[in-house]
Amino acid sequence: VQLQASGGGSVQAGGSLRLSCAASIRTFRSYGWFRQAPGKEREFVAAILSDGRKYYSDSVKGRFTISRDNAKNTLYLEMNSLKVEDTAVYYCAAGNPIISTVSRNEGYRNWGQGTQVTVSS
């Protein structure tokens, strides 16, 4: 399964971006977004399970929305009220995580190449 992330870019604080992640085939039931800022470890952002349940990190809750279009095999991340600290490379991931691994790297088998999001003050 190949995942192709897109939609990153540069925006001022308070702005919005929408990331997309196209999957070559629909194999996995759950998808997630992670991000990695320079000098930091990759961290969980959001996930959506096959039953529609959504999970968010505390840092993005209320500002970001994850969604999926099963017909298009595409995952989205709507990012609003962006902050400078949201600057990172964003990765989409696919897999079949259990609840305890929804927010962990090991819950996902396939990863996209990443798309850069830069938020300036």
Side-chain angles (χ1 to χ4, degrees):
V1 177
Q2 290 186 327
L3 301 174
Q4 183 71 37
S6 61
S10 297
V11 64
Q12 288 192 324
S16 299
L17 283 173
R18 188 176 81 155
L19 304 183
S20 299
C21 177
S24 56
I25 57 174
R26 183 184 176 190
T27 300
F28 300 100
R29 297 182 296 173
S30 300
Y31 293 87
W33 287 99
F34 288 74
R35 67 186 182 186
Q36 187 168 19
K40 295 187 177 181
E41 294 186 352
R42 187 160 54 188
E43 66 174 3
F44 170 75
V45 175
I48 183 167
L49 305 188
S50 59
D51 61 7
R53 281 180 292 171
K54 301 178 182 181
Y55 296 84
Y56 297 95
S57 67
D58 289 341
S59 62
V60 307
K61 197 172 296 182
R63 300 187 297 121
F64 291 11
T65 302
I66 189 171
S67 63
R68 60 194 294 174
D69 185 332
N70 290 332
K72 296 182 178 180
N73 293 340
T74 302
L75 174 73
Y76 302 99
L77 184 68
E78 186 75 35
M79 305 185 295
N80 297 315
S81 302
L82 282 163
K83 304 177 181 180
V84 173
E85 51 264 42
D86 293 320
T87 296
V89 177
Y90 283 70
Y91 298 90
C92 56
N96 294 308
I98 57 176
I99 295 303
S100 62
T101 62
V102 165
S103 63
R104 297 166 61 175
N105 293 336
E106 56 263 39
Y108 302 86
R109 181 179 299 181
N110 287 69
W111 294 81
Q113 84 288 2
T115 185
Q116 176 71 46
V117 172
T118 302
V119 185
S120 58
S121 59

